[in-house]
Amino acid sequence: MKLLSTLLVLLVAAEHFYIAWLEMTQIPSEKVAEMFKLPYEFMEQKRVQTLFSNQGLYNGFLGIGLVWSRFAAPDNAVYSATILFLGFVLIAAAWGAFSSGNKGILVKQGLPAMLAAAAVLAV
């Protein structure tokens, strides 16, 4: 179960690294406009690109925090740090779904984090 929990946590981290990459380097693009369901013209605005870039940085921090919690945190903090960062992801997913009106965020971002948290709690 420990291996499964680590794999699920790493999956969530990889998802956040991917989101960070998209938000920081791929805006504007037709692919990202379609993924985020936003008009391409909207994403061409410099202010929008800056906002996405900042949001991407925060997603990268979540990914780094999850990797750190599993491989670099002190032994007595691995469990707590992992739950803390997964909690941050769950809060971000809930807020993203609520604030954007896109309930799919709960499934795409929240569900993997919830499964990882359940696996960590089961260890």
Side-chain angles (χ1 to χ4, degrees):
M1 189 60 136
K2 185 173 182 176
L3 177 61
L4 176 63
S5 69
T6 298
L7 290 174
L8 289 172
V9 168
L10 291 177
L11 176 70
V12 175
E15 178 183 30
H16 282 274
F17 289 135
Y18 179 66
I19 294 168
W21 175 76
L22 286 174
E23 292 175 339
M24 295 177 79
T25 67
Q26 299 302 302
I27 294 186
S29 74
E30 292 291 338
K31 175 184 172 184
V32 177
E34 186 178 313
M35 287 177 78
F36 290 136
K37 297 179 175 70
L38 294 169
Y40 180 82
E41 297 75 27
F42 176 71
M43 297 181 117
E44 287 183 307
Q45 298 175 46
K46 186 64 180 161
R47 294 175 88 182
V48 171
Q49 293 171 21
T50 299
L51 291 171
F52 267 100
S53 183
N54 284 323
Q55 185 171 312
L57 185 65
Y58 304 140
N59 275 295
F61 289 156
L62 289 172
I64 290 167
L66 288 165
V67 171
W68 173 83
S69 72
R70 296 312 278 185
F71 298 110
D75 289 342
N76 65 344
V78 169
Y79 173 83
S80 298
T82 304
I83 293 299
L84 176 69
F85 280 99
L86 288 170
F88 290 159
V89 171
L90 289 167
I91 292 167
W95 180 252
F98 172 76
S99 64
S100 71
N102 181 354
K103 304 298 183 235
I105 294 172
L106 287 174
V107 174
K108 295 172 190 166
Q109 189 176 356
L111 183 60
M114 191 177 310
L115 293 173
V120 170
L121 290 169
V123 172

